[in-house]
Amino acid sequence: MRLFDDYYCNEKMIKKNTEEQYINAMFSLLQWAKVHADGLDRPRWLAASSPTLPRFWLSDFPALVKLKGQDYPLPTHLFFFFFYPISLITPPHKSFAMFRARVCTITSTTHTLAARAMSLRLYSTRNPLFEKILIANRGEIACRVMRTAKDLGIKTVAVYSEADMNAQHVKMADEAFLIGPPPSAESYLSIDKILKVARMAGAQAIHPGYGFLSENAEFADRVKDEKLEFIGPSGDAMRSMGSKSESKYIMEDAGVPVVPGYHGENQEVGFLKEQAAKIGYPVLIKAVKGGGGKGMRIVWSPSEFEEMLESSKRESIKSFGDDKVLVEKYLERPRHVEVQVFADKHDNCVHLFERDCSVQRRHQKVVEEAPGPGLTSEIRNLLGEKAVAAARAVGYENAGTVEFIMDNVDKKFYFMEMNTRLQVEHPVTEMVTQTDLVRWQLEVAAGNPLPMTQDQLKLHGHAFEARIYAENPSNHFLPDTGNLFSVKTPNASPDVRLETGFIQGDQITVHYDPMIAKLIVHGQDRNDALRRFRRALEQYQVVGPHTNIEFIKRVASHPEFIKGEVETGFIQQFEKDLLPPPSAPNAETLAVAANAIRLKELADVQINSHDPHSPWTSMRQAFRVNTKDSQKFTFNVDKENPYSITITPSKQAGLVDIQVVNDATKETIKSFTDVESHWDEEGQLVSSIDGKKTKSNVVLRGDQLTVFDDYGRTEAHLATPAYIVASAKGADSAGSVKTPMPCKISQVLVTPGQTIEKGQTLIVLEAMKMEHVIKAPATGTISEVLYKVGDLVEENQSLVTFADDQ
């Protein structure tokens, strides 16, 4: 027998072949078919019905064989010794592949092989996936689920609140339904509304995402009652794992290590204090139904136990309506290590290795990585075994995460809780296992076996994930809101992935979680991944609300993080390094920023000078200057330190000289000569300055300037020009306000007779494709408004007059 490159066999008669040789040949060919049967994740084949075939053959490859449209129980002397795919077809109720096979007949006399071609249909036992699913969530997780669904040809249904009417998940879905006003309780947490939409849309299953209703046992039960599939675990599994005390009893019975402590019903103060003494201080008091750090208190000595217990109970009753607590040993150098598990309806359960989520603020994760740094293979295997045992203990199905707290000294780990949903940080696991966990969820919910066995799952390199939040790290990580005015992201690649539900121009509102996106980066090992991670963070540039990007960059560059020495107290321990006070801006950054504004003005003037109706045609020079030979810009980086940047034409045509002065000290910080700058195709400013070539992203929003360059992110405000200040005729009396340049009236915010306060916005001008806000130089009363919206106004014209002028 001879096989050609196209996997076809020759027509020659083959003599003296034993049955064992045929069995071996068929086994090899069937293995080939498993690999090449694209679309059949776990095809199970029956090559023949011969009783002489080994039993494992019959059990491992059960399938229905159709020959010319009829069931064909092959006789003992028939074997397939090769087949190859002709086409793949997916009928409504069964997935199958068509194959052409060579059926070989063994004669009892000559033991020769005669081949003839026939067509076979081999049916797999795989169930079809859903035609349509509803995603009961919003933001990046809704978009994430939709991407996989669309890849699989599954239609998607979105739900949205009034605040999310223009959200990306709404635009991405095949259908979208409004379910209520912005408050979550009236929209994304409304079980009745979501189920009503599912019925109206004809969805067959509901994916809960994470957060909102994802771990609501009642919701899971109600979905099942509607004869829909819940793409997640059962309500019973959620209830078992939802109580910290009950889940710990279950884990103890399953042989999963738990933190030494008391989880019982006796809540008497004296009894709990006795238990704390037995455990040994320090101890941790935790609300039984707690989460997010609420109701959690660290007790260092017996003298403070009662005070901390009372405080924990007060907070618990307010947050959860239950003041029951548990007392556990407090680990002073803990790590947060969790294991991704997956189980199907066929009693298969696997782990997909661990993630380290120790970098946290306010008990919430910020940076995650997989696998966990510094863990031996023995610890890794044990973590996986115990996580699978935890899942099996509650009859778990679908995706889940078993969270452990690990003592970073002896590497012993203890069960904390199980998250009965897909985690925010699941992409790092996908990167290192080369899987699509949302697809796994869909397969399992459809009743199919897990796509891979434990032996098939392998680790591939290392991955990091950063949660990009709209928040201000310098102000206790408080969330921020606002319009995403400018967004530049790293280019996507097999090793760089961005999961987001927002794009440039979208609004971050007060109604929901402030997470903008997740940045996931993969590398061959931890050092490789970390280098790529830092580079991707540099390329992620957002102007609008505050973000934590600069903070995460400092985390990723910290020596202890680079060494892999991460614990849950990492941010608090290195707070001074990670949250340093503002530093003085780099002179080169200020010089480049000023030159960028000059170039924008110049470009706009050149464009508008050809329009006879444009106010720019009245200008005597190619661009407006403060004097005949120079332009001067004043930036306020902070209240105490304004900087003046003066740009003067150089002796060489097309080049400029730039001087940067600290106005507070009158000191010239640095002077640059023969500077050349231009915009590249990507909108970056390319500058030849100080003997080198640099690239900068300069964003001007009103009077706010943001620069991204080799020195990081720099923010400054354009100071109020002297012409506005000079227009005031006294500290307490009104004057007149004049146009600083030819412009168009964009907004008029005052009316005649209106009393205004110093600093109040009067008029908004549009010039140089930028808005300029004109504010009142002093308190007074408006007498006249001299222009209306849309008027074109020349330079140095009064915009309003004040009553005191008449």
Side-chain angles (χ1 to χ4, degrees):
M1 183 183 294
R2 182 167 64 89
L3 299 182
F4 292 99
D5 290 340
D6 62 353
Y7 300 104
Y8 204 70
C9 60
N10 67 350
E11 300 282 350
K12 291 183 179 180
M13 302 297 247
I14 310 297
K15 296 182 179 182
K16 296 181 181 180
N17 285 283
T18 66
E19 183 169 283
E20 181 179 358
Q21 288 174 307
Y22 290 125
I23 291 174
N24 291 336
M26 283 189 292
F27 184 81
S28 298
L29 296 171
L30 286 168
Q31 291 298 313
W32 173 89
K34 287 173 67 178
V35 173
H36 289 77
D38 188 21
L40 299 178
D41 292 331
R42 296 185 71 185
R44 299 174 177 186
W45 314 101
L46 177 59
S49 59
S50 170
T52 59
L53 290 174
R55 285 188 73 83
F56 78 87
W57 191 285
L58 296 174
S59 62
D60 283 5
F61 300 95
L64 174 64
V65 178
K66 290 280 186 181
L67 182 60
K68 291 189 175 181
Q70 297 183 5
D71 289 357
Y72 192 86
L74 297 174
T76 59
H77 62 278
L78 289 182
F79 296 92
F80 305 148
F81 68 84
F82 201 75
F83 47 82
Y84 66 98
I86 292 177
S87 61
L88 292 171
I89 309 169
T90 305
H93 303 295
K94 276 290 180 182
S95 301
F96 67 91
M98 178 80 77
F99 290 90
R100 182 175 299 280
R102 293 283 176 175
V103 180
C104 308
T105 304
I106 305 175
T107 65
S108 59
T109 55
T110 62
H111 297 285
T112 60
L113 234 61
R116 58 193 179 90
M118 309 186 82
S119 294
L120 302 177
R121 287 182 179 180
L122 302 179
Y123 286 84
S124 80
T125 57
R126 178 175 179 269
N127 294 325
L129 298 179
F130 310 107
E131 294 290 329
K132 182 187 287 189
I133 64 172
L134 181 148
I135 295 95
N137 218 297
R138 65 180 296 278
E140 67 86 14
I141 186 58
C143 295
R144 163 71 187 93
V145 174
M146 288 178 192
R147 274 192 288 274
T148 289
K150 287 180 180 293
D151 287 345
L152 296 172
I154 298 172
K155 294 179 182 178
T156 57
V157 181
V159 292
Y160 64 95
S161 72
E162 292 170 355
D164 279 342
M165 192 168 296
N166 298 311
Q168 295 306 308
H169 78 280
V170 176
K171 298 175 182 178
M172 190 174 181
D174 295 297
E175 302 172 55
F177 293 80
L178 176 65
I179 56 172
S184 299
E186 300 176 55
S187 52
Y188 295 107
L189 291 175
S190 175
I191 296 175
D192 290 337
K193 290 180 180 179
I194 291 171
L195 291 178
K196 181 180 178 180
V197 169
R199 290 192 296 269
M200 290 171 54
Q204 298 166 299
I206 295 180
H207 195 299
Y210 56 73
F212 293 128
L213 294 170
S214 62
E215 294 183 278
N216 187 303
E218 180 192 351
F219 182 51
D221 292 342
R222 292 275 303 275
V223 171
K224 295 286 187 182
D225 292 343
E226 293 284 338
K227 308 303 181 185
L228 303 174
E229 284 295 330
F230 182 76
I231 305 174
S234 67
D236 289 340
M238 290 183 188
R239 276 182 279 268
S240 295
M241 287 301 191
S243 169
K244 285 183 169 58
S245 57
E246 180 184 350
S247 63
K248 282 183 167 57
Y249 286 131
I250 295 172
M251 293 303 102
E252 286 177 335
D253 292 342
V256 179
V258 298
V259 178
Y262 175 73
H263 314 122
E265 295 295 321
N266 192 335
Q267 295 290 299
E268 293 180 4
V269 176
F271 179 80
L272 291 176
K273 192 171 183 179
E274 288 177 8
Q275 299 305 308
K278 292 179 182 179
I279 295 166
Y281 288 91
V283 297
L284 186 67
I285 300 174
K286 295 167 67 175
V288 166
K289 294 186 177 179
K294 293 177 180 178
M296 187 182 295
R297 298 291 184 273
I298 301 170
V299 186
W300 296 96
S301 67
S303 62
E304 59 181 1
F305 182 86
E306 294 179 16
E307 177 186 351
M308 290 299 177
L309 176 62
E310 186 179 345
S311 174
S312 172
K313 284 179 170 289
R314 279 198 308 268
E315 191 167 281
S316 300
I317 197 72
K318 289 178 183 177
S319 300
F320 313 111
D322 190 334
D323 67 352
K324 190 180 296 183
V325 299
L326 53 85
V327 183
E328 293 181 338
K329 178 68 179 174
Y330 176 69
L331 304 182
E332 296 186 53
R333 294 188 56 195
R335 285 175 60 176
H336 182 122
V337 181
E338 61 187 32
V339 179
Q340 178 73 60
V341 294
F342 238 103
D344 61 23
K345 302 176 188 293
H346 306 279
D347 198 36
N348 300 310
C349 186
V350 300
H351 69 84
L352 290 90
F353 308 103
E354 82 285 352
R355 300 182 287 254
D356 190 294
C357 310
S358 298
V359 180
Q360 304 178 6
R361 87 289 186 259
R362 299 200 310 267
H363 300 285
Q364 293 178 325
K365 304 161 190 172
V366 180
V367 177
E368 300 99 351
E369 61 180 298
L375 300 185
T376 64
S377 58
E378 291 78 13
I379 293 175
R380 178 164 292 121
N381 292 336
L382 190 58
L383 277 165
E385 290 173 10
K386 296 304 181 183
V388 168
R392 288 193 179 279
V394 293
Y396 200 82
E397 290 178 13
N398 218 280
T401 297
V402 182
E403 297 192 345
F404 296 99
I405 188 168
M406 176 179 283
D407 190 323
N408 205 28
V409 178
D410 58 15
K411 298 298 187 288
K412 289 183 179 179
F413 59 88
Y414 309 93
F415 173 84
M416 280 201 303
E417 62 183 352
M418 184 173 186
N419 289 313
T420 52
R421 54 174 166 79
L422 192 67
Q423 289 280 82
V424 176
E425 58 272 20
H426 76 272
V428 288
T429 294
E430 292 180 319
M431 288 291 231
V432 297
T433 57
Q434 299 179 355
T435 55
D436 181 338
L437 296 188
V438 173
R439 178 170 183 170
W440 279 43
Q441 285 191 292
L442 295 168
E443 294 281 3
V444 168
N448 291 321
L450 294 176
M452 297 175 74
T453 66
Q454 191 67 66
D455 289 341
Q456 291 173 315
L457 287 163
K458 307 293 180 186
L459 281 172
H460 303 273
H462 203 97
F464 288 94
E465 175 182 283
R467 302 189 189 191
I468 308 301
Y469 282 103
E471 65 182 15
N472 188 351
S474 298
N475 189 22
H476 308 290
F477 294 95
L478 290 178
D480 201 2
T481 61
N483 179 266
L484 295 172
F485 180 77
S486 175
V487 178
K488 283 187 178 293
T489 61
N491 293 327
S493 73
D495 291 320
V496 178
R497 175 174 159 186
L498 189 68
E499 297 287 354
T500 183
F502 300 94
I503 61 172
Q504 183 171 296
D506 284 350
Q507 191 80 11
I508 306 298
T509 72
V510 298
H511 303 293
Y512 311 113
D513 186 270
M515 189 168 72
I516 300 172
K518 301 181 308 197
L519 175 65
I520 310 99
V521 179
H522 178 264
Q524 293 181 356
D525 54 34
R526 191 173 189 274
N527 288 334
D528 183 48
L530 190 52
R531 185 186 67 255
R532 296 170 184 264
F533 186 49
R534 288 194 294 265
R535 178 58 178 153
L537 287 166
E538 290 173 359
Q539 295 171 331
Y540 203 154
Q541 301 167 359
V542 177
V543 176
H546 290 92
T547 75
N548 63 341
I549 295 175
E550 294 299 311
F551 171 78
I552 297 174
K553 285 166 64 176
R554 288 191 286 269
V555 169
S557 301
H558 196 280
E560 293 302 306
F561 186 84
I562 292 172
K563 289 192 293 185
E565 290 297 328
V566 287
E567 299 171 2
T568 56
F570 178 83
I571 292 177
Q572 293 85 351
Q573 183 178 358
F574 299 107
E575 184 175 358
K576 291 183 178 179
D577 299 333
L578 302 176
L579 296 169
S583 57
N586 186 274
E588 181 182 306
T589 299
L590 297 178
V592 167
N595 206 25
I597 298 174
R598 180 187 71 85
L599 289 175
K600 286 184 178 182
E601 290 184 357
L602 178 59
D604 286 339
V605 170
Q606 291 171 339
I607 291 171
N608 285 279
S609 63
H610 299 291
D611 181 0
H613 302 289
S614 169
W616 302 109
T617 56
S618 65
M619 295 182 65
R620 300 183 183 88
Q621 297 173 273
F623 58 91
R624 185 183 68 84
V625 293
N626 300 94
T627 69
K628 290 184 178 180
D629 299 315
S630 65
Q631 283 182 277
K632 185 176 181 179
F633 301 89
T634 301
F635 296 154
N636 287 324
V637 178
D638 54 57
K639 293 180 180 179
E640 288 78 24
N641 289 307
Y643 295 85
S644 291
I645 297 90
T646 303
I647 302 179
T648 307
S650 176
K651 294 179 181 179
Q652 297 189 47
L655 305 183
V656 294
D657 298 333
I658 306 176
Q659 184 183 53
V660 180
V661 176
N662 184 329
D663 282 355
T665 63
K666 304 303 180 185
E667 174 190 1
T668 298
I669 300 174
K670 194 162 186 178
S671 296
F672 303 92
T673 59
D674 298 336
V675 177
E676 188 275 333
S677 298
H678 65 274
W679 304 102
D680 68 9
E681 296 177 353
E682 297 178 350
Q684 300 280 302
L685 184 68
V686 181
S687 300
S688 295
I689 183 171
D690 206 23
K692 62 181 179 181
K693 186 164 286 189
T694 65
K695 276 190 177 184
S696 308
N697 178 23
V698 182
V699 181
L700 188 61
R701 183 187 187 190
D703 62 352
Q704 180 178 326
L705 184 75
T706 307
V707 182
F708 301 92
D709 59 12
D710 291 341
Y711 303 100
R713 175 191 176 116
T714 302
E715 290 192 8
H717 291 268
L718 288 170
T720 304
Y723 57 80
I724 293 181
V725 177
S727 67
K729 294 184 177 179
D732 298 315
S733 65
S736 64
V737 176
K738 297 186 178 182
T739 53
M741 63 187 77
C743 59
K744 177 176 157 182
I745 305 299
S746 179
Q747 294 181 64
V748 177
L749 303 175
V750 291
T751 57
Q754 180 178 341
T755 300
I756 51 96
E757 300 293 330
K758 181 179 179 180
Q760 182 176 336
T761 300
L762 307 177
I763 292 178
V764 179
L765 312 177
E766 183 181 333
M768 314 287 186
K769 294 185 180 179
M770 296 180 289
E771 287 190 346
H772 299 262
V773 178
I774 303 300
K775 297 184 178 182
T779 300
T781 302
I782 299 294
S783 175
E784 291 181 274
V785 178
L786 301 175
Y787 296 95
K788 65 181 183 299
V789 173
D791 285 350
L792 300 176
V793 187
E794 292 192 4
E795 184 177 0
N796 202 34
Q797 300 298 307
S798 293
L799 295 169
V800 298
T801 61
F802 298 95
D804 290 357
D805 285 347
Q806 296 181 338

